[in-house]
Amino acid sequence: MIDLLARWMGRWLDRRLHVAKFARRAMNHVFPDHWSFMLGEIALYSFIVLVVTGTFLALFYNASGAQVVYHGAYRALDGVKMSDAYRSVLHLSFEVPAGLLIRQMHHWAALIFIAAIVAHVARLYFTAAFRRPREINWIIGLTLLLLALGNGYFGYSLPDDLLSGAGLRIAYSILLSVPVIGQWLAFLVLGGTVPTPATYPHMYMMHIFLIPLLIFALIAVHLAIIWRQMHTNYPGPGRSDRTIVGSRLFPSYAAKSAGLFFLVLSLTAALGGLVQIDPIWVYGPYDPIAIAPGAQPDWYLGWVEGAMRLFPGVNVHLGPRLIPEVFFPAFLLPLLVFATLYIYPFLEQLIAGDIPGPNHHVLKMPYEQPGNTAFGCAMFMFFIVLFFSGGDDVIAVATGTSVVTVRFFLRVLVFAGPVLTFFVVYWLCAGIKKRRARSQLISAELVKIPNQYPTAHKIGGMQQATLD
Amino acid sequence: MSREAEEPITGKTGPGNRAVLALLFAWEACAFVVGTFAGMLRPKSLNRGESSRGGGSLSEAESSDRSQDRELEPEHDTRTHRAWGTFLVLWAFLASIAGAVGFIFTYWTGGNNLLLGGTLALSMGALGVALVLYSHWLMPHEQATAPREYLPSDDETRQAVLDTFREVEIDVNRRSLLTWMGVVGVGMITAMFVSVMRSIGAPPGPSLFDTVWKRGQRLMTLDGMPVSVNALQPGSFMVVFPEESIGDEKAQTMLIRVKPELLELPAERANWAPMGYVAYSRVCTHAGCPVGLFETTTDLLLCPCHQSTFDILRGAKPTSGPAARPLPQLPLYADADGTLRAGGPFTEPPGPGFWSIP
Amino acid sequence: MFIRPSLGAALILVCSFRLALCQAQPSAPDGQQLFLQHCARCHGDKGEGVNTVITIAGPNIQAEHNHGVVMMAMEVGPSHMPSFAYVLSVQEMRSVADYVTQKLAVIPLAAGDIGEGGKLFRIYCAPCHRTAVRGGALVFTGINAPDLSQESAALIAGAIRWGPGPMPAFPPSVLDNKQLNSVVDYIKFVQHPPSPGGSPMNWFGPTAEGFAAWVCLFGLIIVTGWIEKGGKG
């Protein structure tokens, strides 16, 4: 029966679009069989969940800063003045059936989306997958990460609660601190000391239209390039710069990938149903006179927050002009981080002497490139320490210590941690690399077969990786 | 293309045909269900070396049997394996259906969030598991090898593209015209686009330097009441605003009373604190959060966002944390009625610093 | 003729009995005296509370209108307070409780406007205690702002007026009695905020949420390991 349907549909489409050849190539497209190649898919499927849940939310959200008085289901805010944006999210959370579930799914999916992107970038970094010919996709991917960060930030600022409103105010201060163009930048991006009447419609437009449009377009290009260039492979039998080994798209990979989609959706639903996120009714509506500690952004901006807390209060005067202290940790640091990431493939080519060089389609194992791996681990440690610094007051309250003590330790750790990590990881990788090289040499000596190329060896009936 | 392409099986669908189709569909559905179970008894060949669809061998991807692997995993060939697989997939799918039914039921009976999320998670998770189990147990375990395309094109094609591109130029002189058209065109479109940005918001203007407070203005509470010198005792504070701008975010001020003998203000501010009342801007000079915490035992103002502390007794100088500039101070005096009034504007524009701050 | 003398005799008998009874019983204990003797050391002469270097000796009890609560406190000795079960008799405790609830309790406790209370809370209280009153970090004071989720309304109201330790006091000119009651109402409500969305993770906020997201991502990665099990890459 399914066979019948497939044949009929295929013929119908082929008559109009000449798809048979493409369909055949598509179904035979080979995907490598390793879990680490699925991280990008987790990100993609989280994005689909975001779009679907976001569409639902957009039906109820009202991007208006107009002040209204609340008389809804949540009695602790009865009679309180708030923006209509906040009121609409309260209405969605308490009075719309499944509204809270969808809203929480949306927020959790955003956190997982960016986490998956970061994990994916980490995998690419540690296996040197960004090398020629994949620099373009690396750059596109980093841009996707930036867009995702921005969209996440605008997204959780839309409900106009006390926590995210404070975050908007801080973002305004950061933009203001940029030398020379700071005032103009702050007014262009945020329209003045937030919140202004224009803030919510602007953020809403960016969040549901402009940035998702750019993300969609870049994802399409990203996937098209992967399709064109084909995936990389881990080193192994039959895998080289000339052949790719894995499973075909149809039927096995499609089934696994579809299964992963439903599992991602399921995880998001489980989180949305069982673990509360962003309880805006407890934070209360944004009031520029009110504030509360525990004012952290979502995790993906926690490192910027941590940098802001740890950076000492130094004023840099250039003559009569001032570069405020927030500029360095909150603007310059992220700029440097992303600039380094963007040029990293080209930097690596320079350092490795890969110019000019061939296209690389076989990945390098992390231990084969100790410098790269150690640097990457050190940077990860740096970001992790900064993330925890972003919550230093929460740590202080949870452990019953003084935030000054916590901050002191973190200030030491933010330097000591990465340096220590670098040396430890370098030493580990170099050790593994040496041991592997030695064991391969030994086995090569033991099982040399005459009349073979000296570089190809057979171990136990299976073709061992060539050493070229 | 085979002759079948000209005669699709689903021809014109008259009512008679539709009835036949419906019956056919029902028959197929039953056959599928029965066949699935019956299939467990029927031995099937697992040799997928030749593709059964599309005819002929695959030129792009060769599917190897991994006959070596088959020795390691003989159970893939057995009926038991397929039976187990079917059993597992079926149960996973049934769990998924149960979850979906649960979700719909919970939703229509005014569902609580935990149940809604849990049933949805069960439904989608079980479906995902079913699909993965299907691929593990019931799909052929093949490993495909495909050649990679050599990405750089050959010189001939590259030259052909270059030649096509160069056809645009009629002669050498027109080339620079085209270039200039491009450059200037892009420039003018950019200029027009950028100028339209002006519609988005007002330019900064002098509002950044405005401190709102003026000399002689009374301090007012959020409720609109003036503040008398008896309002506070040492060790308490209140949030005050200038007379005409109650609730203004920039003008919000912390009015604190401390013991007058503890104050160590600089000489030029010595008379800014009548009876131990001091007033500082409530907008943090670090990133703009309201500096809401008054610690009475240490006489510090603490900003809860990044934990900057300001010394109340010494003109709100930052003592720890990331803030670099002191909070702007508001001079105070008590008038004849004992009402507190501002003796002038803030010492600096309130809020975080910027390039051209005085 | 014998009635008047017998009545007189009866009267004298009754009076002497009553006199005897009065002498047998001691006079009703003086609540104020007992309070000054045993309680003022920690709670202050007027129950206004006593500060120590870092924290407090005893809280402000000027909002305690509940007789039973005072009795219970003296019996049990909650938190740092010693128990007076073997120091004072029940009679004495009763008179102390009377004194506290009738003479010392000057802060009125009544229903307030919870919405208004929330608004004031977020301006004055949330900066130290956090929006879900789970406590906040302080600097250089030797103590953090405490978790209020277990405190009684009376002690909260008393603390607001008095300002224990590093906490500032909020006299009626800052928060009048109606506003005080509204704030206390809101604090009582937010001691157990509604969490219809599921587990609130102890109201730690975005840091905990980010942590949870990464834990779940690692779980998902394990799942992808299962999906591609046996895959050699």
Side-chain angles (χ1 to χ4, degrees), chain B:
Chain B
M1 290 282 117
S2 66
R3 60 188 181 284
E4 292 166 42
E6 302 307 322
E7 292 153 0
I9 288 178
T10 54
K12 308 159 201 61
T13 45
N17 279 352
R18 263 184 240 143
V20 167
L21 273 173
L23 272 172
L24 208 66
F25 188 82
W27 172 252
E28 284 289 331
C30 295
F32 175 72
V33 170
V34 172
T36 310
F37 287 92
M40 295 193 285
L41 306 167
R42 229 187 314 142
K44 256 200 176 128
S45 163
L46 282 176
N47 190 350
R48 298 253 185 257
E50 312 95 43
S51 164
S52 51
R53 295 172 217 248
S57 61
L58 308 160
S59 53
E60 275 118 7
E62 287 148 32
S63 187
S64 72
D65 271 333
R66 288 186 79 181
S67 47
Q68 297 159 328
D69 292 344
R70 200 182 284 180
E71 286 151 27
L72 301 167
E73 297 171 89
E75 61 265 24
H76 279 276
D77 285 7
T78 63
R79 284 180 283 165
T80 327
H81 189 261
R82 289 177 65 74
W84 259 116
T86 315
F87 176 77
L88 287 172
V89 171
L90 216 62
W91 275 105
F93 190 58
L94 285 173
S96 173
I97 296 175
V101 167
F103 177 81
I104 294 171
F105 178 75
T106 314
Y107 178 86
W108 285 102
T109 56
N112 104 355
N113 195 62
L114 276 73
L115 275 178
L116 271 178
T119 47
L120 183 61
L122 172 67
S123 172
M124 294 294 104
L127 190 57
V129 166
L131 281 165
V132 175
L133 284 173
Y134 200 105
S135 81
H136 282 175
W137 292 80
L138 299 174
M139 281 183 179
H141 276 231
E142 53 178 22
Q143 191 163 64
T145 311
R148 290 183 187 270
E149 188 182 347
Y150 185 68
L151 287 170
S153 311
D154 56 83
D155 291 329
E156 222 174 86
T157 323
R158 286 188 179 183
Q159 188 59 41
V161 172
L162 214 56
D163 291 336
T164 317
F165 183 68
R166 290 204 173 119
E167 283 170 16
V168 170
E169 307 152 7
I170 311 221
D171 60 73
V172 182
N173 292 330
R174 307 284 166 86
R175 195 194 304 178
S176 56
L177 174 64
L178 207 61
T179 322
W180 275 110
M181 270 176 69
V183 169
V184 175
V186 167
M188 75 190 185
I189 291 175
T190 312
M192 288 192 288
F193 187 75
V194 167
S195 52
V196 168
M197 294 272 123
R198 168 71 180 78
S199 309
I200 294 178
S207 66
L208 273 175
F209 303 90
D210 179 22
T211 74
V212 190
W213 285 92
K214 297 183 194 22
R215 185 186 161 76
Q217 278 184 319
R218 285 184 299 173
L219 275 59
M220 307 291 264
T221 66
L222 200 56
D223 303 324
M225 306 297 295
V227 182
S228 91
V229 290
N230 303 317
L232 298 174
Q233 71 227 39
S236 52
F237 77 98
M238 57 165 52
V239 183
V240 294
F241 300 89
E243 254 180 283
E244 283 111 40
S245 326
I246 294 177
D248 185 289
E249 188 256 337
K250 262 181 76 162
Q252 53 179 316
T253 304
M254 287 285 266
L255 177 71
I256 309 155
R257 190 170 190 189
V258 293
K259 297 208 183 70
E261 59 271 18
L262 296 174
L263 280 169
E264 286 176 33
L265 295 171
E268 64 271 18
R269 301 189 191 180
N271 59 347
W272 284 15
M275 297 187 208
Y277 281 96
V278 277
Y280 297 106
S281 165
R282 197 169 140 97
V283 185
C284 187
T285 54
H286 179 237
C289 291
V291 182
L293 283 93
F294 170 37
E295 292 179 355
T296 56
T297 47
T298 49
D299 283 313
L300 289 174
L301 278 176
L302 172 65
C303 180
C305 284
H306 308 109
Q307 288 79 47
S308 304
T309 51
F310 302 93
D311 191 341
I312 297 171
L313 305 172
R314 289 168 192 82
K317 253 186 349 153
T319 54
S320 92
R325 292 167 33 251
L327 295 173
Q329 186 170 2
L330 187 74
L332 297 174
Y333 69 93
D335 69 9
D337 306 322
T339 315
L340 285 170
R341 287 179 186 260
F346 278 127
T347 48
E348 279 179 331
F354 48 95
W355 178 248
S356 46
I357 196 171

Side-chain angles (χ1 to χ4, degrees), chain C residues 40-73:
Chain C
R41 187 181 329 138
C42 289
H43 287 288
D45 287 352
K46 293 211 188 65
E48 72 274 18
V50 170
N51 275 326
T52 58
V53 175
I54 289 175
T55 177
I56 60 172
N60 177 306
I61 49 175
Q62 288 173 341
E64 196 55 80
H65 299 273
N66 191 320
H67 197 270
V69 170
V70 183
M71 291 291 291
M72 184 67 104

Side-chain angles (χ1 to χ4, degrees), chain A residues 37-259:
Chain A
F37 289 94
M38 293 196 127
L39 296 171
E41 284 175 36
I42 297 179
L44 176 67
Y45 294 141
S46 318
F47 182 65
I48 295 177
V49 173
L50 280 171
V51 170
V52 172
T53 51
T55 309
F56 180 88
L57 296 178
L59 296 170
F60 296 97
Y61 178 74
N62 188 5
S64 161
Q67 297 289 303
V68 298
V69 175
Y70 182 73
H71 293 295
Y74 184 63
R75 71 176 186 92
L77 286 170
D78 194 54
V80 174
K81 262 217 289 216
M82 56 181 61
S83 65
D84 203 29
Y86 186 77
R87 185 212 53 80
S88 69
V89 184
L90 281 180
H91 171 71
L92 171 71
S93 302
F94 289 112
E95 288 152 43
V96 172
L100 185 62
L101 174 70
I102 306 281
R103 189 185 144 240
Q104 298 205 149
M105 278 176 69
H106 190 76
H107 201 147
W108 279 114
L111 299 190
I112 301 230
F113 177 47
I114 302 182
I117 297 180
V118 170
H120 178 57
V121 169
R123 196 279 293 171
L124 298 174
Y125 178 87
F126 287 117
T127 54
F130 49 75
R131 292 177 297 165
R132 191 187 298 112
R134 292 179 175 78
E135 306 101 315
I136 307 173
N137 245 6
W138 171 262
I139 289 172
I140 291 179
L142 280 178
T143 315
L144 279 169
L145 175 60
L146 272 176
L147 288 172
L149 290 180
N151 222 26
Y153 175 72
F154 285 137
Y156 75 75
S157 302
L158 286 176
D160 188 33
D161 55 286
L162 188 59
L163 183 66
S164 61
L168 276 180
R169 184 74 179 85
I170 294 174
Y172 171 78
S173 311
I174 295 171
L175 288 171
L176 198 65
S177 74
V178 177
V180 186
I181 57 169
Q183 307 169 16
W184 296 89
L185 209 57
F187 274 77
L188 186 68
V189 177
L190 291 170
T193 312
V194 290
T196 68
T199 305
Y200 297 98
H202 284 191
M203 288 201 303
Y204 193 48
M205 183 281 291
M206 300 278 279
H207 181 78
I208 71 169
F209 176 67
L210 190 63
I211 300 183
L213 189 70
L214 291 171
I215 293 181
F216 261 123
L218 284 177
I219 288 181
V221 177
H222 196 74
L223 293 177
I225 293 180
I226 296 174
W227 186 269
R228 186 79 186 83
Q229 293 179 331
M230 295 173 109
H231 274 91
T232 51
N233 259 146
Y234 283 105
R239 295 151 168 86
S240 71
D241 282 339
R242 288 178 289 281
T243 49
I244 182 172
V245 177
S247 42
R248 293 183 295 157
L249 172 58
F250 189 88
S252 31
Y253 201 76
K256 290 183 196 162
S257 209

Side-chain angles (χ1 to χ4, degrees), chain A residues 269-426:
Chain A
L271 284 171
L274 302 172
V275 189
Q276 189 163 267
I277 185 170
D278 200 16
I280 56 158
W281 51 92
V282 173
Y283 299 145
Y286 179 62
D287 182 355
I289 304 166
I291 188 65
Q296 277 95 22
D298 274 1
W299 76 265
Y300 41 86
L301 292 174
W303 58 287
V304 179
E305 172 79 8
M308 282 174 80
R309 290 183 190 214
L310 294 185
F311 196 80
V314 292
N315 274 317
V316 175
H317 288 277
L318 292 179
R321 304 298 193 201
L322 170 72
I323 302 182
E325 67 281 15
V326 278
F327 171 70
F328 302 100
F331 196 88
L332 199 60
L333 175 69
L335 193 71
L336 287 174
V337 165
F338 275 97
T340 312
L341 281 172
Y342 268 108
I343 64 168
Y344 200 83
F346 309 104
L347 211 66
E348 195 263 352
Q349 278 173 7
L350 210 67
I351 295 175
D354 201 20
I355 304 173
N359 284 346
H360 299 285
H361 295 290
V362 178
L363 297 173
K364 271 170 135 173
M365 299 302 284
Y367 58 78
E368 285 172 23
Q369 29 175 7
N372 198 42
T373 307
F375 181 70
C377 289
M379 282 297 105
F380 254 102
M381 179 56 78
F382 180 64
F383 290 125
I384 291 173
V385 174
L386 283 183
F387 168 72
F388 282 110
S389 309
D392 60 0
D393 62 332
V394 175
I395 294 175
V397 169
T399 55
T401 50
S402 157
V403 72
V404 179
T405 319
V406 175
R407 198 160 56 199
F408 174 75
F409 275 114
L410 287 168
R411 274 180 172 155
V412 170
L413 206 62
V414 82
F415 291 110
V419 169
L420 214 70
T421 315
F422 183 89
F423 284 115
V424 169
V425 172
Y426 191 95

Side-chain angles (χ1 to χ4, degrees), chain C residues 33-42 84 87-88:
Chain C
Q33 206 165 23
L34 284 166
F35 184 86
L36 288 171
Q37 195 179 348
H38 295 283
C39 318
R41 187 181 329 138
C42 289
F84 288 87
V87 179
L88 297 172

